[in-house]
Amino acid sequence: MINIKSPREIEIMRRGGKITSKTLAMLIDAAKPGVTTKQLDELAEQSIRSMGGVPTFIGYNGYPASICASVNDEVVHGIPGDRVLEDGDLLSIDIGTTFEGYVSDTAVTVAIGNVSEAAKRLMRVTQECLMLGIAQMQPGNHLGDIGHAVQQHAESNGYGVVRALVGHGVGRKMHEDPQVPNYGRPGEGTLLRKGLVLAIEPMITEGTWEVATLEDGWTVVTEDGKLAAHFEHTIAITDHGPKILTLRDVAEHPDVSLFRPSEEVAA
Ligand code: MF3
Ligand code: CO
Ligand code: CO
């Protein structure tokens, strides 16, 4: 069942989204060589709680942390731990906050120190996939328009689109209907309308789109060991089109460049 949100609910989600995006902006700046993923997780939990939110991920199907921290060939759901980030790593950070009963969910992939040109291109194209998907969130469009836009851009750049995991509706629960695949055909699927709130989250790979889950039961990796990137926003459809509820402030990110999250500039 699809839950349509009232303007009042969307306003709560916008305030919650601010907690999530401010926290993610802080984590992006903290993600440097020598830092462990557990340190980032601790920073995230403190930050979310200091602003009156609750980390959504802790306890979700038994998940043990506030963020997912996925490195290199890890696509999503990496569990924070003692792994020390190294120069050249690609780190995907996914974070969710519950605020006044509503969830916001957002993710980025960032470079740790200096990364290869190939890694930079993968990050850039994946972020572009997200923005192209968001641009399709117009009343009267269909769900397939979103997936098609994402898939078209990824595949025309020679990349794979992960099929095993999808985006989703978001609201009182992190995962609501409808599912939002990162592939699809134009004009097909659910009609998009005002009040629909979706998490769009392309997971794009350098090689095969096939993935596997590690023995920890969570970490999703590429089958061929090649790199993956993941960007996500929580977005509401309004009369005027998409409103990104997890947008980060340019003011908080004076160092925004092509290879750091930069949708504030692109939007
Ligand atoms: N935030 C993820 C998503 O984008 C789900 C994380 S699962 C959790 O849908 F267990 F880590 F919370
Ligand atoms: Co997420
Ligand atoms: Co999500």
mmCIF file with all atom_site columns, all heavy atoms in Angstrom, residues 136-158:
data_model
loop_
_atom_site.group_PDB
_atom_site.id
_atom_site.type_symbol
_atom_site.label_atom_id
_atom_site.label_alt_id
_atom_site.label_comp_id
_atom_site.label_asym_id
_atom_site.label_entity_id
_atom_site.label_seq_id
_atom_site.pdbx_PDB_ins_code
_atom_site.Cartn_x
_atom_site.Cartn_y
_atom_site.Cartn_z
_atom_site.occupancy
_atom_site.B_iso_or_equiv
_atom_site.pdbx_formal_charge
_atom_site.auth_seq_id
_atom_site.auth_comp_id
_atom_site.auth_asym_id
_atom_site.auth_atom_id
_atom_site.pdbx_PDB_model_num
ATOM 1   N N   . GLN A 1 136 ? 12.913 12.984 -12.792 1.00 0.00 ? 136 GLN A N   1
ATOM 2   C CA  . GLN A 1 136 ? 11.702 12.331 -13.324 1.00 0.00 ? 136 GLN A CA  1
ATOM 3   C C   . GLN A 1 136 ? 10.545 12.343 -12.333 1.00 0.00 ? 136 GLN A C   1
ATOM 4   O O   . GLN A 1 136 ? 9.439  11.911 -12.654 1.00 0.00 ? 136 GLN A O   1
ATOM 5   C CB  . GLN A 1 136 ? 12.011 10.882 -13.724 1.00 0.00 ? 136 GLN A CB  1
ATOM 6   C CG  . GLN A 1 136 ? 12.945 10.755 -14.917 1.00 0.00 ? 136 GLN A CG  1
ATOM 7   C CD  . GLN A 1 136 ? 12.363 11.396 -16.167 1.00 0.00 ? 136 GLN A CD  1
ATOM 8   O OE1 . GLN A 1 136 ? 11.184 11.263 -16.453 1.00 0.00 ? 136 GLN A OE1 1
ATOM 9   N NE2 . GLN A 1 136 ? 13.197 12.109 -16.903 1.00 0.00 ? 136 GLN A NE2 1
ATOM 10  N N   . MET A 1 137 ? 10.793 12.816 -11.113 1.00 0.00 ? 137 MET A N   1
ATOM 11  C CA  . MET A 1 137 ? 9.732  12.782 -10.084 1.00 0.00 ? 137 MET A CA  1
ATOM 12  C C   . MET A 1 137 ? 8.751  13.936 -10.264 1.00 0.00 ? 137 MET A C   1
ATOM 13  O O   . MET A 1 137 ? 8.624  14.815 -9.418  1.00 0.00 ? 137 MET A O   1
ATOM 14  C CB  . MET A 1 137 ? 10.349 12.802 -8.675  1.00 0.00 ? 137 MET A CB  1
ATOM 15  C CG  . MET A 1 137 ? 10.977 11.468 -8.298  1.00 0.00 ? 137 MET A CG  1
ATOM 16  S SD  . MET A 1 137 ? 11.608 11.468 -6.611  1.00 0.00 ? 137 MET A SD  1
ATOM 17  C CE  . MET A 1 137 ? 10.113 11.540 -5.633  1.00 0.00 ? 137 MET A CE  1
ATOM 18  N N   . GLN A 1 138 ? 8.040  13.900 -11.358 1.00 0.00 ? 138 GLN A N   1
ATOM 19  C CA  . GLN A 1 138 ? 7.044  14.923 -11.676 1.00 0.00 ? 138 GLN A CA  1
ATOM 20  C C   . GLN A 1 138 ? 5.667  14.273 -11.594 1.00 0.00 ? 138 GLN A C   1
ATOM 21  O O   . GLN A 1 138 ? 5.487  13.135 -12.053 1.00 0.00 ? 138 GLN A O   1
ATOM 22  C CB  . GLN A 1 138 ? 7.255  15.438 -13.107 1.00 0.00 ? 138 GLN A CB  1
ATOM 23  C CG  . GLN A 1 138 ? 8.650  15.970 -13.394 1.00 0.00 ? 138 GLN A CG  1
ATOM 24  C CD  . GLN A 1 138 ? 8.956  17.286 -12.693 1.00 0.00 ? 138 GLN A CD  1
ATOM 25  O OE1 . GLN A 1 138 ? 8.040  17.972 -12.219 1.00 0.00 ? 138 GLN A OE1 1
ATOM 26  N NE2 . GLN A 1 138 ? 10.233 17.628 -12.608 1.00 0.00 ? 138 GLN A NE2 1
ATOM 27  N N   . PRO A 1 139 ? 4.672  14.998 -11.062 1.00 0.00 ? 139 PRO A N   1
ATOM 28  C CA  . PRO A 1 139 ? 3.307  14.463 -11.073 1.00 0.00 ? 139 PRO A CA  1
ATOM 29  C C   . PRO A 1 139 ? 2.915  14.114 -12.510 1.00 0.00 ? 139 PRO A C   1
ATOM 30  O O   . PRO A 1 139 ? 3.158  14.915 -13.417 1.00 0.00 ? 139 PRO A O   1
ATOM 31  C CB  . PRO A 1 139 ? 2.461  15.632 -10.545 1.00 0.00 ? 139 PRO A CB  1
ATOM 32  C CG  . PRO A 1 139 ? 3.411  16.554 -9.857  1.00 0.00 ? 139 PRO A CG  1
ATOM 33  C CD  . PRO A 1 139 ? 4.744  16.371 -10.509 1.00 0.00 ? 139 PRO A CD  1
ATOM 34  N N   . GLY A 1 140 ? 2.357  12.923 -12.718 1.00 0.00 ? 140 GLY A N   1
ATOM 35  C CA  . GLY A 1 140 ? 1.958  12.502 -14.063 1.00 0.00 ? 140 GLY A CA  1
ATOM 36  C C   . GLY A 1 140 ? 2.952  11.564 -14.717 1.00 0.00 ? 140 GLY A C   1
ATOM 37  O O   . GLY A 1 140 ? 2.597  10.822 -15.639 1.00 0.00 ? 140 GLY A O   1
ATOM 38  N N   . ASN A 1 141 ? 4.213  11.582 -14.242 1.00 0.00 ? 141 ASN A N   1
ATOM 39  C CA  . ASN A 1 141 ? 5.177  10.583 -14.718 1.00 0.00 ? 141 ASN A CA  1
ATOM 40  C C   . ASN A 1 141 ? 4.905  9.246  -14.051 1.00 0.00 ? 141 ASN A C   1
ATOM 41  O O   . ASN A 1 141 ? 4.058  9.135  -13.165 1.00 0.00 ? 141 ASN A O   1
ATOM 42  C CB  . ASN A 1 141 ? 6.602  11.035 -14.405 1.00 0.00 ? 141 ASN A CB  1
ATOM 43  C CG  . ASN A 1 141 ? 7.186  11.924 -15.495 1.00 0.00 ? 141 ASN A CG  1
ATOM 44  O OD1 . ASN A 1 141 ? 6.504  12.266 -16.456 1.00 0.00 ? 141 ASN A OD1 1
ATOM 45  N ND2 . ASN A 1 141 ? 8.442  12.302 -15.324 1.00 0.00 ? 141 ASN A ND2 1
ATOM 46  N N   . HIS A 1 142 ? 5.655  8.223  -14.452 1.00 0.00 ? 142 HIS A N   1
ATOM 47  C CA  . HIS A 1 142 ? 5.493  6.889  -13.878 1.00 0.00 ? 142 HIS A CA  1
ATOM 48  C C   . HIS A 1 142 ? 6.804  6.433  -13.248 1.00 0.00 ? 142 HIS A C   1
ATOM 49  O O   . HIS A 1 142 ? 7.873  6.935  -13.586 1.00 0.00 ? 142 HIS A O   1
ATOM 50  C CB  . HIS A 1 142 ? 5.027  5.898  -14.946 1.00 0.00 ? 142 HIS A CB  1
ATOM 51  C CG  . HIS A 1 142 ? 3.630  6.160  -15.424 1.00 0.00 ? 142 HIS A CG  1
ATOM 52  N ND1 . HIS A 1 142 ? 3.334  7.152  -16.324 1.00 0.00 ? 142 HIS A ND1 1
ATOM 53  C CD2 . HIS A 1 142 ? 2.449  5.570  -15.094 1.00 0.00 ? 142 HIS A CD2 1
ATOM 54  C CE1 . HIS A 1 142 ? 2.029  7.175  -16.540 1.00 0.00 ? 142 HIS A CE1 1
ATOM 55  N NE2 . HIS A 1 142 ? 1.458  6.221  -15.809 1.00 0.00 ? 142 HIS A NE2 1
ATOM 56  N N   . LEU A 1 143 ? 6.666  5.441  -12.364 1.00 0.00 ? 143 LEU A N   1
ATOM 57  C CA  . LEU A 1 143 ? 7.848  4.905  -11.683 1.00 0.00 ? 143 LEU A CA  1
ATOM 58  C C   . LEU A 1 143 ? 8.916  4.443  -12.681 1.00 0.00 ? 143 LEU A C   1
ATOM 59  O O   . LEU A 1 143 ? 10.120 4.637  -12.458 1.00 0.00 ? 143 LEU A O   1
ATOM 60  C CB  . LEU A 1 143 ? 7.401  3.729  -10.801 1.00 0.00 ? 143 LEU A CB  1
ATOM 61  C CG  . LEU A 1 143 ? 8.155  3.468  -9.524  1.00 0.00 ? 143 LEU A CG  1
ATOM 62  C CD1 . LEU A 1 143 ? 8.277  4.716  -8.661  1.00 0.00 ? 143 LEU A CD1 1
ATOM 63  C CD2 . LEU A 1 143 ? 7.457  2.367  -8.745  1.00 0.00 ? 143 LEU A CD2 1
ATOM 64  N N   . GLY A 1 144 ? 8.476  3.845  -13.788 1.00 0.00 ? 144 GLY A N   1
ATOM 65  C CA  . GLY A 1 144 ? 9.430  3.350  -14.783 1.00 0.00 ? 144 GLY A CA  1
ATOM 66  C C   . GLY A 1 144 ? 10.271 4.455  -15.400 1.00 0.00 ? 144 GLY A C   1
ATOM 67  O O   . GLY A 1 144 ? 11.378 4.196  -15.894 1.00 0.00 ? 144 GLY A O   1
ATOM 68  N N   . ASP A 1 145 ? 9.772  5.685  -15.377 1.00 0.00 ? 145 ASP A N   1
ATOM 69  C CA  . ASP A 1 145 ? 10.552 6.798  -15.923 1.00 0.00 ? 145 ASP A CA  1
ATOM 70  C C   . ASP A 1 145 ? 11.806 7.034  -15.086 1.00 0.00 ? 145 ASP A C   1
ATOM 71  O O   . ASP A 1 145 ? 12.855 7.399  -15.614 1.00 0.00 ? 145 ASP A O   1
ATOM 72  C CB  . ASP A 1 145 ? 9.701  8.084  -15.951 1.00 0.00 ? 145 ASP A CB  1
ATOM 73  C CG  . ASP A 1 145 ? 8.520  7.962  -16.904 1.00 0.00 ? 145 ASP A CG  1
ATOM 74  O OD1 . ASP A 1 145 ? 8.677  7.371  -17.983 1.00 0.00 ? 145 ASP A OD1 1
ATOM 75  O OD2 . ASP A 1 145 ? 7.426  8.449  -16.545 1.00 0.00 ? 145 ASP A OD2 1
ATOM 76  N N   . ILE A 1 146 ? 11.678 6.830  -13.768 1.00 0.00 ? 146 ILE A N   1
ATOM 77  C CA  . ILE A 1 146 ? 12.824 7.017  -12.866 1.00 0.00 ? 146 ILE A CA  1
ATOM 78  C C   . ILE A 1 146 ? 13.890 5.956  -13.166 1.00 0.00 ? 146 ILE A C   1
ATOM 79  O O   . ILE A 1 146 ? 15.054 6.263  -13.424 1.00 0.00 ? 146 ILE A O   1
ATOM 80  C CB  . ILE A 1 146 ? 12.389 6.919  -11.387 1.00 0.00 ? 146 ILE A CB  1
ATOM 81  C CG1 . ILE A 1 146 ? 11.382 8.020  -11.035 1.00 0.00 ? 146 ILE A CG1 1
ATOM 82  C CG2 . ILE A 1 146 ? 13.606 6.977  -10.463 1.00 0.00 ? 146 ILE A CG2 1
ATOM 83  C CD1 . ILE A 1 146 ? 10.768 7.892  -9.636  1.00 0.00 ? 146 ILE A CD1 1
ATOM 84  N N   . GLY A 1 147 ? 13.453 4.696  -13.133 1.00 0.00 ? 147 GLY A N   1
ATOM 85  C CA  . GLY A 1 147 ? 14.397 3.604  -13.359 1.00 0.00 ? 147 GLY A CA  1
ATOM 86  C C   . GLY A 1 147 ? 15.046 3.685  -14.729 1.00 0.00 ? 147 GLY A C   1
ATOM 87  O O   . GLY A 1 147 ? 16.245 3.426  -14.887 1.00 0.00 ? 147 GLY A O   1
ATOM 88  N N   . HIS A 1 148 ? 14.245 4.061  -15.711 1.00 0.00 ? 148 HIS A N   1
ATOM 89  C CA  . HIS A 1 148 ? 14.782 4.157  -17.069 1.00 0.00 ? 148 HIS A CA  1
ATOM 90  C C   . HIS A 1 148 ? 15.882 5.212  -17.149 1.00 0.00 ? 148 HIS A C   1
ATOM 91  O O   . HIS A 1 148 ? 16.932 4.984  -17.765 1.00 0.00 ? 148 HIS A O   1
ATOM 92  C CB  . HIS A 1 148 ? 13.665 4.477  -18.063 1.00 0.00 ? 148 HIS A CB  1
ATOM 93  C CG  . HIS A 1 148 ? 14.155 4.653  -19.463 1.00 0.00 ? 148 HIS A CG  1
ATOM 94  N ND1 . HIS A 1 148 ? 14.541 3.589  -20.250 1.00 0.00 ? 148 HIS A ND1 1
ATOM 95  C CD2 . HIS A 1 148 ? 14.385 5.772  -20.197 1.00 0.00 ? 148 HIS A CD2 1
ATOM 96  C CE1 . HIS A 1 148 ? 14.968 4.042  -21.416 1.00 0.00 ? 148 HIS A CE1 1
ATOM 97  N NE2 . HIS A 1 148 ? 14.879 5.374  -21.405 1.00 0.00 ? 148 HIS A NE2 1
ATOM 98  N N   . ALA A 1 149 ? 15.638 6.369  -16.527 1.00 0.00 ? 149 ALA A N   1
ATOM 99  C CA  . ALA A 1 149 ? 16.627 7.462  -16.572 1.00 0.00 ? 149 ALA A CA  1
ATOM 100 C C   . ALA A 1 149 ? 17.938 7.025  -15.919 1.00 0.00 ? 149 ALA A C   1
ATOM 101 O O   . ALA A 1 149 ? 19.030 7.295  -16.433 1.00 0.00 ? 149 ALA A O   1
ATOM 102 C CB  . ALA A 1 149 ? 16.073 8.701  -15.878 1.00 0.00 ? 149 ALA A CB  1
ATOM 103 N N   . VAL A 1 150 ? 17.824 6.333  -14.795 1.00 0.00 ? 150 VAL A N   1
ATOM 104 C CA  . VAL A 1 150 ? 19.025 5.866  -14.081 1.00 0.00 ? 150 VAL A CA  1
ATOM 105 C C   . VAL A 1 150 ? 19.779 4.835  -14.934 1.00 0.00 ? 150 VAL A C   1
ATOM 106 O O   . VAL A 1 150 ? 20.990 4.941  -15.164 1.00 0.00 ? 150 VAL A O   1
ATOM 107 C CB  . VAL A 1 150 ? 18.639 5.249  -12.719 1.00 0.00 ? 150 VAL A CB  1
ATOM 108 C CG1 . VAL A 1 150 ? 19.846 4.574  -12.082 1.00 0.00 ? 150 VAL A CG1 1
ATOM 109 C CG2 . VAL A 1 150 ? 18.059 6.319  -11.780 1.00 0.00 ? 150 VAL A CG2 1
ATOM 110 N N   . GLN A 1 151 ? 19.044 3.841  -15.410 1.00 0.00 ? 151 GLN A N   1
ATOM 111 C CA  . GLN A 1 151 ? 19.652 2.738  -16.165 1.00 0.00 ? 151 GLN A CA  1
ATOM 112 C C   . GLN A 1 151 ? 20.312 3.233  -17.449 1.00 0.00 ? 151 GLN A C   1
ATOM 113 O O   . GLN A 1 151 ? 21.441 2.834  -17.782 1.00 0.00 ? 151 GLN A O   1
ATOM 114 C CB  . GLN A 1 151 ? 18.574 1.716  -16.512 1.00 0.00 ? 151 GLN A CB  1
ATOM 115 C CG  . GLN A 1 151 ? 19.097 0.528  -17.310 1.00 0.00 ? 151 GLN A CG  1
ATOM 116 C CD  . GLN A 1 151 ? 18.018 -0.512 -17.570 1.00 0.00 ? 151 GLN A CD  1
ATOM 117 O OE1 . GLN A 1 151 ? 16.818 -0.209 -17.531 1.00 0.00 ? 151 GLN A OE1 1
ATOM 118 N NE2 . GLN A 1 151 ? 18.443 -1.732 -17.842 1.00 0.00 ? 151 GLN A NE2 1
ATOM 119 N N   . GLN A 1 152 ? 19.606 4.098  -18.144 1.00 0.00 ? 152 GLN A N   1
ATOM 120 C CA  . GLN A 1 152 ? 20.094 4.636  -19.414 1.00 0.00 ? 152 GLN A CA  1
ATOM 121 C C   . GLN A 1 152 ? 21.450 5.321  -19.217 1.00 0.00 ? 152 GLN A C   1
ATOM 122 O O   . GLN A 1 152 ? 22.400 5.081  -19.949 1.00 0.00 ? 152 GLN A O   1
ATOM 123 C CB  . GLN A 1 152 ? 19.032 5.608  -19.944 1.00 0.00 ? 152 GLN A CB  1
ATOM 124 C CG  . GLN A 1 152 ? 19.466 6.508  -21.077 1.00 0.00 ? 152 GLN A CG  1
ATOM 125 C CD  . GLN A 1 152 ? 19.830 5.699  -22.304 1.00 0.00 ? 152 GLN A CD  1
ATOM 126 O OE1 . GLN A 1 152 ? 19.254 4.636  -22.539 1.00 0.00 ? 152 GLN A OE1 1
ATOM 127 N NE2 . GLN A 1 152 ? 20.811 6.183  -23.063 1.00 0.00 ? 152 GLN A NE2 1
ATOM 128 N N   . HIS A 1 153 ? 21.558 6.157  -18.187 1.00 0.00 ? 153 HIS A N   1
ATOM 129 C CA  . HIS A 1 153 ? 22.790 6.908  -17.962 1.00 0.00 ? 153 HIS A CA  1
ATOM 130 C C   . HIS A 1 153 ? 23.920 5.977  -17.513 1.00 0.00 ? 153 HIS A C   1
ATOM 131 O O   . HIS A 1 153 ? 25.052 6.103  -17.978 1.00 0.00 ? 153 HIS A O   1
ATOM 132 C CB  . HIS A 1 153 ? 22.555 8.005  -16.923 1.00 0.00 ? 153 HIS A CB  1
ATOM 133 C CG  . HIS A 1 153 ? 23.683 8.972  -16.818 1.00 0.00 ? 153 HIS A CG  1
ATOM 134 N ND1 . HIS A 1 153 ? 24.134 9.727  -17.881 1.00 0.00 ? 153 HIS A ND1 1
ATOM 135 C CD2 . HIS A 1 153 ? 24.485 9.306  -15.768 1.00 0.00 ? 153 HIS A CD2 1
ATOM 136 C CE1 . HIS A 1 153 ? 25.157 10.476 -17.491 1.00 0.00 ? 153 HIS A CE1 1
ATOM 137 N NE2 . HIS A 1 153 ? 25.396 10.235 -16.215 1.00 0.00 ? 153 HIS A NE2 1
ATOM 138 N N   . ALA A 1 154 ? 23.602 5.022  -16.640 1.00 0.00 ? 154 ALA A N   1
ATOM 139 C CA  . ALA A 1 154 ? 24.644 4.101  -16.152 1.00 0.00 ? 154 ALA A CA  1
ATOM 140 C C   . ALA A 1 154 ? 25.168 3.229  -17.299 1.00 0.00 ? 154 ALA A C   1
ATOM 141 O O   . ALA A 1 154 ? 26.375 3.130  -17.526 1.00 0.00 ? 154 ALA A O   1
ATOM 142 C CB  . ALA A 1 154 ? 24.090 3.229  -15.032 1.00 0.00 ? 154 ALA A CB  1
ATOM 143 N N   . GLU A 1 155 ? 24.242 2.617  -18.022 1.00 0.00 ? 155 GLU A N   1
ATOM 144 C CA  . GLU A 1 155 ? 24.666 1.652  -19.046 1.00 0.00 ? 155 GLU A CA  1
ATOM 145 C C   . GLU A 1 155 ? 25.328 2.342  -20.236 1.00 0.00 ? 155 GLU A C   1
ATOM 146 O O   . GLU A 1 155 ? 26.265 1.791  -20.830 1.00 0.00 ? 155 GLU A O   1
ATOM 147 C CB  . GLU A 1 155 ? 23.472 0.777  -19.459 1.00 0.00 ? 155 GLU A CB  1
ATOM 148 C CG  . GLU A 1 155 ? 23.074 -0.145 -18.295 1.00 0.00 ? 155 GLU A CG  1
ATOM 149 C CD  . GLU A 1 155 ? 21.900 -1.071 -18.599 1.00 0.00 ? 155 GLU A CD  1
ATOM 150 O OE1 . GLU A 1 155 ? 21.267 -0.914 -19.664 1.00 0.00 ? 155 GLU A OE1 1
ATOM 151 O OE2 . GLU A 1 155 ? 21.622 -1.948 -17.748 1.00 0.00 ? 155 GLU A OE2 1
ATOM 152 N N   . SER A 1 156 ? 24.888 3.551  -20.568 1.00 0.00 ? 156 SER A N   1
ATOM 153 C CA  . SER A 1 156 ? 25.533 4.242  -21.697 1.00 0.00 ? 156 SER A CA  1
ATOM 154 C C   . SER A 1 156 ? 26.952 4.662  -21.327 1.00 0.00 ? 156 SER A C   1
ATOM 155 O O   . SER A 1 156 ? 27.761 4.964  -22.190 1.00 0.00 ? 156 SER A O   1
ATOM 156 C CB  . SER A 1 156 ? 24.701 5.442  -22.157 1.00 0.00 ? 156 SER A CB  1
ATOM 157 O OG  . SER A 1 156 ? 24.683 6.417  -21.142 1.00 0.00 ? 156 SER A OG  1
ATOM 158 N N   . ASN A 1 157 ? 27.258 4.670  -20.024 1.00 0.00 ? 157 ASN A N   1
ATOM 159 C CA  . ASN A 1 157 ? 28.629 4.938  -19.578 1.00 0.00 ? 157 ASN A CA  1
ATOM 160 C C   . ASN A 1 157 ? 29.422 3.653  -19.329 1.00 0.00 ? 157 ASN A C   1
ATOM 161 O O   . ASN A 1 157 ? 30.518 3.688  -18.779 1.00 0.00 ? 157 ASN A O   1
ATOM 162 C CB  . ASN A 1 157 ? 28.611 5.808  -18.325 1.00 0.00 ? 157 ASN A CB  1
ATOM 163 C CG  . ASN A 1 157 ? 28.471 7.284  -18.670 1.00 0.00 ? 157 ASN A CG  1
ATOM 164 O OD1 . ASN A 1 157 ? 29.440 7.921  -19.071 1.00 0.00 ? 157 ASN A OD1 1
ATOM 165 N ND2 . ASN A 1 157 ? 27.267 7.804  -18.568 1.00 0.00 ? 157 ASN A ND2 1
ATOM 166 N N   . GLY A 1 158 ? 28.818 2.512  -19.686 1.00 0.00 ? 158 GLY A N   1
ATOM 167 C CA  . GLY A 1 158 ? 29.523 1.237  -19.580 1.00 0.00 ? 158 GLY A CA  1
ATOM 168 C C   . GLY A 1 158 ? 29.448 0.593  -18.213 1.00 0.00 ? 158 GLY A C   1
ATOM 169 O O   . GLY A 1 158 ? 30.201 -0.336 -17.917 1.00 0.00 ? 158 GLY A O   1
#
